[in-house]
mmCIF file of all heavy atoms in Angstrom:
data_model
loop_
_atom_site.group_PDB
_atom_site.id
_atom_site.type_symbol
_atom_site.label_atom_id
_atom_site.label_comp_id
_atom_site.label_asym_id
_atom_site.label_seq_id
_atom_site.Cartn_x
_atom_site.Cartn_y
_atom_site.Cartn_z
ATOM 1 N N ALA A 63 1.598 5.744 -2.913
ATOM 2 C CA ALA A 63 0.451 5.136 -3.480
ATOM 3 C C ALA A 63 0.488 3.609 -3.424
ATOM 4 O O ALA A 63 -0.386 2.958 -2.853
ATOM 5 C CB ALA A 63 0.023 5.662 -4.809
ATOM 6 N N ILE A 64 1.623 3.121 -3.851
ATOM 7 C CA ILE A 64 1.786 1.632 -3.813
ATOM 8 C C ILE A 64 1.941 1.132 -2.474
ATOM 9 O O ILE A 64 1.423 0.043 -2.115
ATOM 10 C CB ILE A 64 2.964 1.229 -4.738
ATOM 11 C CG1 ILE A 64 2.608 1.640 -6.232
ATOM 12 C CG2 ILE A 64 3.262 -0.195 -4.736
ATOM 13 C CD1 ILE A 64 3.765 1.306 -7.248
ATOM 14 N N GLY A 65 2.746 1.922 -1.674
ATOM 15 C CA GLY A 65 2.957 1.447 -0.292
ATOM 16 C C GLY A 65 1.610 1.402 0.478
ATOM 17 O O GLY A 65 1.457 0.464 1.349
ATOM 18 N N ALA A 66 0.744 2.397 0.212
ATOM 19 C CA ALA A 66 -0.588 2.423 0.888
ATOM 20 C C ALA A 66 -1.363 1.197 0.447
ATOM 21 O O ALA A 66 -2.129 0.555 1.351
ATOM 22 C CB ALA A 66 -1.347 3.603 0.580
ATOM 23 N N SER A 67 -1.281 0.771 -0.727
ATOM 24 C CA SER A 67 -1.986 -0.463 -1.177
ATOM 25 C C SER A 67 -1.525 -1.693 -0.371
ATOM 26 O O SER A 67 -2.288 -2.488 0.006
ATOM 27 C CB SER A 67 -1.754 -0.640 -2.684
ATOM 28 O OG SER A 67 -2.184 0.574 -3.435
ATOM 29 N N TYR A 68 -0.163 -1.752 -0.321
ATOM 30 C CA TYR A 68 0.487 -2.926 0.335
ATOM 31 C C TYR A 68 0.028 -2.920 1.826
ATOM 32 O O TYR A 68 -0.314 -3.963 2.405
ATOM 33 C CB TYR A 68 1.822 -3.030 0.214
ATOM 34 C CG TYR A 68 2.575 -4.236 0.697
ATOM 35 C CD1 TYR A 68 2.313 -5.412 0.200
ATOM 36 C CD2 TYR A 68 3.397 -4.141 1.899
ATOM 37 C CE1 TYR A 68 2.895 -6.636 0.782
ATOM 38 C CE2 TYR A 68 3.979 -5.256 2.377
ATOM 39 C CZ TYR A 68 3.674 -6.484 1.891
ATOM 40 O OH TYR A 68 4.294 -7.583 2.409
ATOM 41 N N ALA A 69 0.032 -1.772 2.369
ATOM 42 C CA ALA A 69 -0.292 -1.650 3.899
ATOM 43 C C ALA A 69 -1.708 -2.051 4.007
ATOM 44 O O ALA A 69 -2.117 -2.622 5.017
ATOM 45 C CB ALA A 69 -0.077 -0.178 4.327
ATOM 46 N N MET A 70 -2.546 -1.616 3.094
ATOM 47 C CA MET A 70 -4.049 -2.053 3.222
ATOM 48 C C MET A 70 -4.194 -3.549 3.101
ATOM 49 O O MET A 70 -4.976 -4.113 3.812
ATOM 50 C CB MET A 70 -4.832 -1.283 2.077
ATOM 51 C CG MET A 70 -6.318 -1.550 2.185
ATOM 52 S SD MET A 70 -6.993 -0.665 3.609
ATOM 53 C CE MET A 70 -8.738 -1.051 3.380
ATOM 54 N N ALA A 71 -3.492 -4.125 2.183
ATOM 55 C CA ALA A 71 -3.548 -5.634 2.075
ATOM 56 C C ALA A 71 -3.028 -6.361 3.297
ATOM 57 O O ALA A 71 -3.495 -7.493 3.578
ATOM 58 C CB ALA A 71 -2.786 -6.114 0.702
ATOM 59 N N GLN A 72 -2.084 -5.696 3.955
ATOM 60 C CA GLN A 72 -1.485 -6.373 5.202
ATOM 61 C C GLN A 72 -2.134 -5.810 6.468
ATOM 62 O O GLN A 72 -1.646 -6.232 7.635
ATOM 63 C CB GLN A 72 -0.035 -5.944 5.215
ATOM 64 C CG GLN A 72 0.768 -6.543 4.118
ATOM 65 C CD GLN A 72 0.854 -8.083 4.079
ATOM 66 O OE1 GLN A 72 1.122 -8.673 5.139
ATOM 67 N NE2 GLN A 72 0.590 -8.637 2.993
ATOM 68 N N ARG A 73 -3.184 -5.011 6.410
ATOM 69 C CA ARG A 73 -3.790 -4.527 7.641
ATOM 70 C C ARG A 73 -2.861 -3.695 8.413
ATOM 71 O O ARG A 73 -2.849 -3.828 9.678
ATOM 72 C CB ARG A 73 -4.483 -5.645 8.467
ATOM 73 C CG ARG A 73 -5.596 -6.331 7.697
ATOM 74 C CD ARG A 73 -6.102 -7.487 8.607
ATOM 75 N NE ARG A 73 -6.622 -6.999 9.924
ATOM 76 C CZ ARG A 73 -6.813 -7.799 11.006
ATOM 77 N NH1 ARG A 73 -6.515 -9.040 10.854
ATOM 78 N NH2 ARG A 73 -7.358 -7.281 12.113
ATOM 79 N N SER A 74 -1.987 -2.917 7.799
ATOM 80 C CA SER A 74 -0.957 -2.283 8.527
ATOM 81 C C SER A 74 -1.248 -0.814 8.766
ATOM 82 O O SER A 74 -0.471 -0.066 9.371
ATOM 83 C CB SER A 74 0.358 -2.347 7.787
ATOM 84 O OG SER A 74 0.714 -3.765 7.698
ATOM 85 N N HIS A 75 -2.336 -0.324 8.254
ATOM 86 C CA HIS A 75 -2.714 1.041 8.447
ATOM 87 C C HIS A 75 -3.088 1.326 9.989
ATOM 88 O O HIS A 75 -3.752 0.474 10.562
ATOM 89 C CB HIS A 75 -3.898 1.532 7.582
ATOM 90 C CG HIS A 75 -3.523 1.747 6.144
ATOM 91 N ND1 HIS A 75 -2.752 2.869 5.746
ATOM 92 C CD2 HIS A 75 -3.792 1.026 5.059
ATOM 93 C CE1 HIS A 75 -2.566 2.719 4.483
ATOM 94 N NE2 HIS A 75 -3.103 1.687 3.987
ATOM 95 N N THR A 76 -2.633 2.465 10.458
ATOM 96 C CA THR A 76 -2.897 2.779 11.987
ATOM 97 C C THR A 76 -4.374 2.987 12.126
ATOM 98 O O THR A 76 -5.083 3.801 11.361
ATOM 99 C CB THR A 76 -2.158 3.930 12.355
ATOM 100 O OG1 THR A 76 -0.764 3.694 12.172
ATOM 101 C CG2 THR A 76 -2.391 4.238 13.731
ATOM 102 N N ARG A 77 -4.940 2.390 13.164
ATOM 103 C CA ARG A 77 -6.331 2.639 13.540
ATOM 104 C C ARG A 77 -6.334 2.823 15.062
ATOM 105 O O ARG A 77 -5.741 2.075 15.821
ATOM 106 C CB ARG A 77 -7.231 1.492 13.202
ATOM 107 C CG ARG A 77 -7.583 1.403 11.677
ATOM 108 C CD ARG A 77 -8.583 0.388 11.426
ATOM 109 N NE ARG A 77 -9.852 0.512 12.128
ATOM 110 C CZ ARG A 77 -10.807 -0.412 12.109
ATOM 111 N NH1 ARG A 77 -10.633 -1.556 11.388
ATOM 112 N NH2 ARG A 77 -11.946 -0.282 12.800
ATOM 113 N N VAL A 78 -7.048 3.871 15.444
ATOM 114 C CA VAL A 78 -7.176 4.122 16.978
ATOM 115 C C VAL A 78 -8.307 3.280 17.502
ATOM 116 O O VAL A 78 -9.414 3.448 17.136
ATOM 117 C CB VAL A 78 -7.450 5.627 17.221
ATOM 118 C CG1 VAL A 78 -7.586 5.871 18.673
ATOM 119 C CG2 VAL A 78 -6.386 6.521 16.553
ATOM 120 N N ASP A 79 -7.933 2.394 18.380
ATOM 121 C CA ASP A 79 -8.939 1.450 18.839
ATOM 122 C C ASP A 79 -9.090 1.541 20.432
ATOM 123 O O ASP A 79 -9.568 0.593 21.064
ATOM 124 C CB ASP A 79 -8.507 -0.014 18.526
ATOM 125 C CG ASP A 79 -7.177 -0.384 19.139
ATOM 126 O OD1 ASP A 79 -6.517 0.548 19.625
ATOM 127 O OD2 ASP A 79 -6.756 -1.611 19.069
ATOM 128 N N VAL A 80 -8.748 2.691 20.974
ATOM 129 C CA VAL A 80 -8.965 2.905 22.418
ATOM 130 C C VAL A 80 -10.405 2.647 22.870
ATOM 131 O O VAL A 80 -10.664 2.012 23.830
ATOM 132 C CB VAL A 80 -8.470 4.308 22.763
ATOM 133 C CG1 VAL A 80 -8.707 4.585 24.276
ATOM 134 C CG2 VAL A 80 -6.972 4.449 22.453
ATOM 135 N N PHE A 81 -11.303 3.278 22.079
ATOM 136 C CA PHE A 81 -12.750 3.106 22.469
ATOM 137 C C PHE A 81 -13.465 1.940 21.752
ATOM 138 O O PHE A 81 -14.385 1.338 22.324
ATOM 139 C CB PHE A 81 -13.475 4.349 22.146
ATOM 140 C CG PHE A 81 -12.909 5.642 22.826
ATOM 141 C CD1 PHE A 81 -12.183 6.538 22.180
ATOM 142 C CD2 PHE A 81 -13.138 5.781 24.197
ATOM 143 C CE1 PHE A 81 -11.706 7.630 22.855
ATOM 144 C CE2 PHE A 81 -12.677 6.887 24.882
ATOM 145 C CZ PHE A 81 -11.981 7.826 24.190
ATOM 146 N N LEU A 82 -12.889 1.565 20.637
ATOM 147 C CA LEU A 82 -13.534 0.444 19.892
ATOM 148 C C LEU A 82 -13.598 -0.843 20.638
ATOM 149 O O LEU A 82 -14.674 -1.447 20.765
ATOM 150 C CB LEU A 82 -12.746 0.236 18.611
ATOM 151 C CG LEU A 82 -13.304 -0.939 17.666
ATOM 152 C CD1 LEU A 82 -14.626 -0.551 17.172
ATOM 153 C CD2 LEU A 82 -12.328 -1.157 16.540
ATOM 154 N N VAL A 83 -12.567 -1.137 21.382
ATOM 155 C CA VAL A 83 -12.532 -2.463 22.066
ATOM 156 C C VAL A 83 -13.426 -2.416 23.284
ATOM 157 O O VAL A 83 -13.750 -3.500 23.912
ATOM 158 C CB VAL A 83 -11.072 -2.860 22.570
ATOM 159 C CG1 VAL A 83 -10.195 -2.986 21.292
ATOM 160 C CG2 VAL A 83 -10.535 -1.664 23.473
ATOM 161 N N ARG A 84 -13.922 -1.263 23.763
ATOM 162 C CA ARG A 84 -14.891 -1.170 24.847
ATOM 163 C C ARG A 84 -16.388 -1.360 24.462
ATOM 164 O O ARG A 84 -17.217 -1.465 25.313
ATOM 165 C CB ARG A 84 -14.667 0.137 25.598
ATOM 166 C CG ARG A 84 -13.159 0.456 26.092
ATOM 167 C CD ARG A 84 -13.109 1.753 26.735
ATOM 168 N NE ARG A 84 -11.660 1.970 27.066
ATOM 169 C CZ ARG A 84 -11.173 1.529 28.217
ATOM 170 N NH1 ARG A 84 -11.787 0.917 29.065
ATOM 171 N NH2 ARG A 84 -9.851 1.758 28.448
ATOM 172 N N PHE A 85 -16.587 -1.258 23.115
ATOM 173 C CA PHE A 85 -17.937 -1.393 22.628
ATOM 174 C C PHE A 85 -18.329 -2.917 22.575
ATOM 175 O O PHE A 85 -17.416 -3.828 22.538
ATOM 176 C CB PHE A 85 -18.130 -0.794 21.285
ATOM 177 C CG PHE A 85 -18.025 0.691 21.277
ATOM 178 C CD1 PHE A 85 -17.154 1.422 20.498
ATOM 179 C CD2 PHE A 85 -18.958 1.426 22.057
ATOM 180 C CE1 PHE A 85 -17.085 2.776 20.574
ATOM 181 C CE2 PHE A 85 -18.905 2.866 22.052
ATOM 182 C CZ PHE A 85 -17.976 3.531 21.335
ATOM 183 N N PRO A 86 -19.612 -3.278 22.667
ATOM 184 C CA PRO A 86 -20.085 -4.553 22.395
ATOM 185 C C PRO A 86 -19.702 -5.124 21.056
ATOM 186 O O PRO A 86 -19.569 -4.281 20.099
ATOM 187 C CB PRO A 86 -21.609 -4.571 22.556
ATOM 188 C CG PRO A 86 -21.772 -3.219 23.312
ATOM 189 C CD PRO A 86 -20.751 -2.342 23.012
ATOM 190 N N ARG A 87 -19.527 -6.407 20.850
ATOM 191 C CA ARG A 87 -19.060 -6.854 19.593
ATOM 192 C C ARG A 87 -19.921 -6.543 18.412
ATOM 193 O O ARG A 87 -19.485 -6.261 17.350
ATOM 194 C CB ARG A 87 -18.874 -8.442 19.670
ATOM 195 C CG ARG A 87 -17.741 -8.767 20.599
ATOM 196 C CD ARG A 87 -17.492 -10.305 20.531
ATOM 197 N NE ARG A 87 -17.020 -10.784 19.278
ATOM 198 C CZ ARG A 87 -15.848 -10.737 18.875
ATOM 199 N NH1 ARG A 87 -14.920 -10.243 19.603
ATOM 200 N NH2 ARG A 87 -15.445 -11.125 17.696
#
Side-chain angles (χ1 to χ4, degrees):
I64 294 178
S67 303
Y68 184 68
M70 187 66 180
Q72 296 295 313
R73 294 176 61 199
S74 299
H75 285 290
T76 301
R77 285 183 59 185
V78 179
D79 58 352
V80 176
F81 299 106
L82 179 66
V83 295
R84 301 179 185 275
F85 290 122
R87 293 186 65 83

